[in-house]
Amino acid sequence: MNKTTTYFPSYTIGPDAYTEIPAVCEKYGKTAVLIGGVRALAAAKDKVIAALADSSIELLGIFEYGGEASRENMDALMQKKEVSEADMIFACGGGKAIDCCKVLSQESGRPFFTLPTIASTCASCTSLGIVYHPDGSLREYSFQAKPAEWIFIDTQIIAEAPAEYLWAGIGDTMAKFYECTTSARGDDPFHSVSMGIQISHLCAAPLVKYGVAALEECRNNKAGEAIREIALGIIISTGFVSNLVGIDLNTGLAHACYNGFTVVDSVEHNGHLHGEIVAYCILILLIVDGQKEEYEKIFKFSHDMGLPTRLSHIDACMDDLDKMIPKALAGIDVRKWPYEVKPEMIREAVKFIEEDNDAKGIK
């Protein structure tokens, strides 16, 4: 058996999480840069500056990442003397800002620390970086061994972020449990993968328990216990699963159907968030897989959360399935699934969900 090394980031969470930055980061060097999105930096930079004020770490500069996790933006950042010479990088923002800094840090051999300002993805916790072309189309995946050294999760900043990011993040995160456990059905995995599968259970049940309350807290800018639990589920639990199980257990039928909807113009042009569409696609997964009891539970939760439960909620219709289904089944998402997913399975599941909404009086 070959030697393997697995790295996990540590994390600090709370409304005063940034006060721990000096104690954690001083051993990694004396200089740092803070890089992130426009809104993220506006929310976080003053707290970071205050945290470093009496420390031995000099903040060389604060820079916007460029709006896309592209090679071009990484190269532009590296052209800045402060960025190229900093001992460490603080990556601040949402998924794309953090991935841009992550890949830049990993490829230049420097430690990096993540400061997520929204709870919408697990990018802060994973070693995988997703790189895009400047037009936003996917370019490549950057597979690296090490994730961030530490994650600083300021729950007050997350509570003050737009609630729709938390809302959509909940939908996306729940898919991790259903896709991971279904993809692994019948397997006899070794320790690391088995641990990831077990952790995936924390990507669904706590979100159903705390989701409605967390959304209400976010709408009221309150960093309460529900926000804390949901942030841990979205950022930490999902990130640990991603780092442990590998690509084939990280995805599944819900994301396959999401990818299918990306070729439906009416869905793409109306600004629906990734996690919003994935939440609807979880319902498809559950019906295709015959999990009727779980379907009823998640349908009710999605309805209570205002997440989509029918095609019209994502600006789609039954005719769109002619484009959606071939795209959904063309990728790698269900190449490892306990059975072959056939087009008619998806079509019949969507038809069932539409009729169920009608029966429940949901427009």
Side-chain angles (χ1 to χ4, degrees):
M1 183 68 69
N2 293 329
K3 179 181 74 176
T4 61
T5 302
T6 302
Y7 299 93
F8 295 101
S10 299
Y11 62 89
T12 301
I13 184 169
D16 56 352
Y18 293 178
T19 61
E20 295 297 310
I21 292 175
V24 169
C25 299
E26 281 177 338
K27 66 180 180 182
Y28 292 93
K30 299 297 183 183
T31 58
V33 286
L34 176 64
I35 303 173
V38 176
R39 287 189 294 185
L41 291 174
K45 65 179 180 181
D46 289 345
K47 283 191 170 186
V48 174
I49 292 169
L52 296 177
D54 297 321
S55 77
S56 63
I57 299 172
E58 180 186 1
L59 191 63
L60 298 180
I62 300 173
F63 302 98
E64 295 174 9
Y65 80 105
E68 190 57 78
S70 66
R71 289 284 173 190
E72 289 78 4
N73 284 334
M74 294 173 203
D75 292 343
L77 286 166
M78 281 298 288
Q79 294 300 312
K80 299 180 186 298
K81 184 173 183 288
E82 298 91 338
V83 175
S84 65
E85 294 184 355
D87 294 329
M88 66 192 97
I89 292 175
F90 297 151
C92 176
K96 288 192 173 184
I98 286 170
D99 275 354
C100 185
C101 299
K102 178 192 301 181
V103 176
L104 186 154
S105 303
Q106 290 166 330
E107 293 184 353
S108 60
R110 286 176 290 173
F112 68 102
F113 304 83
T114 57
L115 291 73
T117 55
I118 56 176
S120 62
T121 76
C122 61
S124 297
C125 189
T126 65
S127 56
L128 171 67
I130 304 175
V131 182
Y132 298 86
H133 291 290
D135 65 1
S137 61
L138 177 67
R139 175 170 178 163
E140 61 190 349
Y141 295 106
S142 175
F143 295 96
Q144 304 286 339
K146 289 195 71 172
E149 300 290 343
W150 208 284
I151 309 166
F152 298 96
I153 308 169
D154 186 312
T155 49
Q156 187 59 48
I157 289 177
I158 288 173
E160 292 175 4
E164 60 261 31
Y165 293 119
L166 184 78
W167 174 73
I170 289 170
D172 192 30
T173 297
M174 288 196 305
K176 185 69 72 179
F177 166 65
Y178 296 108
E179 293 184 315
C180 182
T181 54
T182 306
S183 294
R185 187 180 298 157
D187 290 356
D188 184 19
F190 290 119
H191 176 268
S192 294
V193 173
S194 181
M195 184 162 63
I197 294 167
Q198 293 304 313
I199 295 173
S200 78
H201 288 72
L202 296 176
C203 300
L207 277 71
V208 174
K209 180 177 181 179
Y210 294 105
V212 173
L215 193 59
E216 186 64 20
E217 286 180 359
C218 193
R219 286 169 175 157
N220 290 293
N221 303 141
K222 176 186 175 184
E225 285 302 319
I227 285 273
R228 179 189 181 96
E229 290 300 308
I230 292 297
L232 287 170
I234 293 172
I235 296 168
I236 303 299
S237 298
T238 311
F240 274 39
V241 175
S242 179
N243 288 337
L244 284 164
V245 303
I247 189 65
D248 280 333
L249 302 193
N250 259 312
T251 189
L253 185 55
H255 277 85
C257 291
Y258 162 80
N259 289 334
F261 280 117
T262 64
V263 300
V264 177
D265 291 342
S266 56
V267 177
E268 281 292 283
H269 293 163
N270 280 286
H272 296 287
L273 296 172
H274 171 88
E276 175 189 2
I277 301 170
V278 170
Y280 169 75
C281 295
I282 292 171
L283 300 178
I284 299 175
L285 181 159
L286 293 173
I287 293 301
V288 168
D289 200 49
Q291 298 187 48
K292 292 292 183 67
E293 184 176 342
E294 195 70 13
Y295 162 82
E296 290 295 343
K297 181 176 78 175
I298 299 305
F299 185 102
K300 181 182 184 304
F301 172 70
S302 292
H303 180 63
D304 291 345
M305 286 286 293
L307 288 164
T309 62
R310 65 183 312 159
L311 287 172
S312 61
H313 296 167
I314 57 170
D315 293 293
C317 65
M318 288 297 295
D319 289 344
D320 292 324
L321 299 186
D322 292 337
K323 292 177 65 177
M324 183 278 261
I325 293 174
K327 176 66 174 177
L329 298 180
I332 67 169
D333 300 281
V334 289
R335 70 181 180 184
K336 187 187 184 313
W337 203 247
Y339 46 84
E340 181 185 357
V341 180
K342 297 180 178 179
E344 58 267 28
M345 292 178 177
I346 297 175
R347 189 177 297 275
E348 287 302 313
V350 173
K351 181 181 178 183
F352 174 89
I353 296 166
E354 291 295 292
E355 292 173 350
D356 191 38
N357 275 272
D358 291 339
K360 290 171 177 169
I362 296 173
K363 301 297 185 183

